[in-house]
Amino acid sequence: MGKTSNLKKKEDMYKYVAKPDEGIAFNIPTAAGVYYDFENKVAVATDGYILRISRSAYDPAHEKPDEKGVSIDREGNVIEGRYVNYRSVIPDFGKKVIFRPIDKEEIKRSVKQAREKARQEGMKYSILYVKVNGIWVKEKYLKMAMDIIDESIH
Protein backbone atom coordinates (compact mmCIF):
# COMPACT_ATOMS: atom_id res chain seq x y z
CA MET A 1 0.00 0.00 0.00
CA GLY A 2 1.37 3.47 -0.94
CA LYS A 3 2.18 6.21 1.50
CA THR A 4 -0.44 8.81 2.25
CA SER A 5 0.24 12.42 2.96
CA ASN A 6 -1.52 14.99 5.09
CA LEU A 7 -0.20 17.78 2.87
CA LYS A 8 -2.99 19.76 1.23
CA LYS A 9 -2.79 19.83 -2.57
CA LYS A 10 -1.99 23.34 -3.88
CA GLU A 11 -4.86 24.97 -5.68
CA ASP A 12 -4.57 25.35 -9.46
CA MET A 13 -4.87 29.13 -9.77
CA TYR A 14 -4.39 28.99 -13.55
CA LYS A 15 -8.00 27.90 -14.05
CA TYR A 16 -8.97 31.47 -13.06
CA VAL A 17 -6.40 33.19 -15.31
CA ALA A 18 -7.28 35.00 -18.54
CA LYS A 19 -5.98 33.45 -21.75
CA PRO A 20 -3.09 35.41 -23.29
CA ASP A 21 -4.24 38.03 -25.82
CA GLU A 22 -7.91 37.60 -24.84
CA GLY A 23 -10.22 39.54 -22.57
CA ILE A 24 -8.49 41.42 -19.77
CA ALA A 25 -5.09 39.98 -20.75
CA PHE A 26 -5.34 41.71 -24.15
CA ASN A 27 -4.96 45.09 -22.40
CA ILE A 28 -3.16 43.90 -19.25
CA PRO A 29 -0.69 41.13 -20.19
CA THR A 30 0.13 40.36 -16.54
CA ALA A 31 -3.46 39.08 -16.11
CA ALA A 32 -2.42 36.05 -18.18
CA GLY A 33 -0.55 34.81 -15.12
CA VAL A 34 -0.92 34.23 -11.41
CA TYR A 35 0.17 37.26 -9.41
CA TYR A 36 2.12 36.59 -6.21
CA ASP A 37 1.55 39.54 -3.87
CA PHE A 38 4.63 39.57 -1.63
CA GLU A 39 3.22 42.12 0.81
CA ASN A 40 -0.01 40.24 1.55
CA LYS A 41 1.35 36.72 0.97
CA VAL A 42 -1.46 35.76 -1.44
CA ALA A 43 -1.75 34.38 -4.97
CA VAL A 44 -4.17 36.29 -7.20
CA ALA A 45 -5.79 35.30 -10.49
CA THR A 46 -8.52 36.84 -12.63
CA ASP A 47 -10.09 36.37 -16.03
CA GLY A 48 -11.86 39.73 -15.78
CA TYR A 49 -15.03 38.14 -14.35
CA ILE A 50 -13.82 36.14 -11.39
CA LEU A 51 -11.18 37.33 -8.95
CA ARG A 52 -9.61 34.51 -6.93
CA ILE A 53 -7.32 35.31 -4.01
CA SER A 54 -5.71 32.42 -2.15
CA ARG A 55 -3.31 32.25 0.77
CA SER A 56 -2.85 28.49 0.36
CA ALA A 57 -1.72 28.84 -3.29
CA TYR A 58 0.90 31.46 -2.41
CA ASP A 59 4.43 30.29 -3.22
CA PRO A 60 7.22 32.18 -1.41
CA ALA A 61 9.72 30.73 -3.89
CA HIS A 62 8.72 33.51 -6.32
CA GLU A 63 9.63 36.31 -3.89
CA LYS A 64 12.22 38.84 -5.02
CA PRO A 65 13.84 41.52 -2.87
CA ASP A 66 12.61 45.09 -3.35
CA GLU A 67 9.52 44.03 -5.33
CA LYS A 68 5.86 44.07 -4.30
CA GLY A 69 4.91 41.08 -6.41
CA VAL A 70 5.33 39.19 -9.64
CA SER A 71 3.05 37.66 -12.29
CA ILE A 72 4.00 34.17 -13.48
CA ASP A 73 2.58 32.54 -16.64
CA ARG A 74 1.59 28.89 -17.03
CA GLU A 75 5.11 27.94 -18.14
CA GLY A 76 6.71 29.55 -15.08
CA ASN A 77 7.98 32.68 -16.85
CA VAL A 78 7.78 36.14 -15.32
CA ILE A 79 5.37 38.45 -17.15
CA GLU A 80 6.81 41.95 -17.12
CA GLY A 81 4.52 44.83 -16.23
CA ARG A 82 2.19 45.97 -13.53
CA TYR A 83 -0.62 43.72 -12.32
CA VAL A 84 -4.16 45.06 -11.98
CA ASN A 85 -5.01 46.74 -8.66
CA TYR A 86 -7.11 43.82 -7.49
CA ARG A 87 -7.65 45.30 -4.02
CA SER A 88 -9.57 48.24 -5.50
CA VAL A 89 -12.48 45.99 -6.56
CA ILE A 90 -12.92 44.37 -3.14
CA PRO A 91 -15.64 46.18 -1.18
CA ASP A 92 -14.78 47.38 2.30
CA PHE A 93 -17.69 46.15 4.40
CA GLY A 94 -16.09 47.10 7.70
CA LYS A 95 -18.05 45.42 10.47
CA LYS A 96 -21.27 45.21 8.45
CA VAL A 97 -20.60 41.93 6.67
CA ILE A 98 -23.70 39.85 6.06
CA PHE A 99 -23.31 36.30 4.87
CA ARG A 100 -26.16 34.63 3.06
CA PRO A 101 -26.18 30.87 3.35
CA ILE A 102 -25.87 29.00 0.07
CA ASP A 103 -28.00 25.92 -0.44
CA LYS A 104 -25.96 23.89 -2.92
CA GLU A 105 -28.79 21.43 -3.49
CA GLU A 106 -31.15 24.28 -4.39
CA ILE A 107 -28.59 25.62 -6.86
CA LYS A 108 -28.19 22.17 -8.43
CA ARG A 109 -32.00 21.93 -8.79
CA SER A 110 -32.11 25.37 -10.43
CA VAL A 111 -29.42 24.41 -12.95
CA LYS A 112 -31.20 21.14 -13.71
CA GLN A 113 -34.54 22.94 -14.19
CA ALA A 114 -32.97 25.55 -16.48
CA ARG A 115 -31.34 22.85 -18.60
CA GLU A 116 -34.57 20.85 -18.77
CA LYS A 117 -36.61 23.93 -19.78
CA ALA A 118 -34.10 24.78 -22.51
CA ARG A 119 -34.25 21.19 -23.79
CA GLN A 120 -38.08 21.08 -23.75
CA GLU A 121 -38.32 24.35 -25.66
CA GLY A 122 -35.77 23.15 -28.21
CA MET A 123 -33.27 25.81 -27.26
CA LYS A 124 -29.65 25.23 -27.96
CA TYR A 125 -27.46 27.09 -25.55
CA SER A 126 -23.79 27.52 -25.04
CA ILE A 127 -24.17 29.82 -22.04
CA LEU A 128 -26.69 29.08 -19.32
CA TYR A 129 -27.66 31.64 -16.69
CA VAL A 130 -29.17 30.61 -13.36
CA LYS A 131 -30.90 32.89 -10.87
CA VAL A 132 -29.40 32.58 -7.37
CA ASN A 133 -30.62 34.76 -4.50
CA GLY A 134 -32.12 37.16 -7.05
CA ILE A 135 -28.95 37.48 -9.13
CA TRP A 136 -28.45 35.99 -12.61
CA VAL A 137 -25.16 34.08 -12.77
CA LYS A 138 -23.48 32.20 -15.61
CA GLU A 139 -23.58 28.48 -14.84
CA LYS A 140 -19.82 28.25 -15.51
CA TYR A 141 -19.03 30.83 -12.81
CA LEU A 142 -21.53 29.33 -10.41
CA LYS A 143 -19.82 25.95 -10.69
CA MET A 144 -16.41 27.56 -10.13
CA ALA A 145 -17.72 29.36 -7.02
CA MET A 146 -19.18 26.12 -5.66
CA ASP A 147 -15.84 24.36 -6.27
CA ILE A 148 -14.04 27.12 -4.35
CA ILE A 149 -16.48 26.69 -1.45
CA ASP A 150 -15.82 22.94 -1.44
CA GLU A 151 -12.03 23.50 -1.50
CA SER A 152 -12.26 25.98 1.37
CA ILE A 153 -14.27 23.61 3.56
CA HIS A 154 -12.06 20.57 3.04
Side-chain angles (χ1 to χ4, degrees), residues 18-35:
K19 291 184 175 80
D21 301 323
E22 289 185 17
I24 190 173
F26 182 75
N27 293 316
I28 306 168
T30 53
V34 173
Y35 179 69

Side-chain angles (χ1 to χ4, degrees), residues 14 17 29-45 57-73 76-84 86:
Y14 289 98
V17 167
T30 53
V34 173
Y35 179 69
Y36 294 92
D37 181 339
F38 303 154
E39 294 176 333
N40 296 298
K41 307 287 187 213
V42 293
V44 182
Y58 181 77
D59 187 351
H62 296 295
E63 290 182 11
K64 295 181 180 186
D66 302 324
E67 289 193 30
K68 292 182 178 182
V70 65
S71 187
I72 306 291
D73 70 14
N77 302 311
V78 172
I79 304 172
E80 296 297 329
R82 189 171 167 197
Y83 196 75
V84 296
Y86 71 91

Side-chain angles (χ1 to χ4, degrees), residues 36-146:
Y36 294 92
D37 181 339
F38 303 154
E39 294 176 333
N40 296 298
K41 307 287 187 213
V42 293
V44 182
T46 185
D47 63 359
Y49 298 97
I50 292 177
L51 173 66
R52 178 70 174 130
I53 303 169
S54 173
R55 289 199 188 284
S56 64
Y58 181 77
D59 187 351
H62 296 295
E63 290 182 11
K64 295 181 180 186
D66 302 324
E67 289 193 30
K68 292 182 178 182
V70 65
S71 187
I72 306 291
D73 70 14
R74 294 173 192 274
E75 287 77 40
N77 302 311
V78 172
I79 304 172
E80 296 297 329
R82 189 171 167 197
Y83 196 75
V84 296
N85 183 0
Y86 71 91
R87 289 177 292 236
S88 70
V89 298
I90 302 169
D92 181 12
F93 293 109
K95 294 183 181 185
K96 297 180 182 179
V97 177
I98 299 172
F99 293 97
R100 292 181 84 176
I102 296 174
D103 182 348
K104 287 181 67 171
E105 293 306 314
E106 181 181 336
I107 292 171
K108 288 177 185 176
R109 283 192 299 276
S110 296
V111 170
K112 187 175 179 180
Q113 288 172 353
R115 286 181 179 163
E116 181 61 24
K117 182 175 181 179
R119 189 189 62 74
Q120 287 174 351
E121 294 181 10
M123 290 186 244
K124 294 187 179 190
Y125 63 88
S126 59
I127 300 173
L128 178 65
Y129 286 84
V130 179
K131 196 170 190 177
V132 179
N133 289 337
I135 300 170
W136 288 97
V137 182
K138 279 186 183 179
E139 176 189 17
K140 167 184 164 181
Y141 298 125
L142 187 59
K143 180 176 179 340
M144 289 174 95
M146 290 172 58

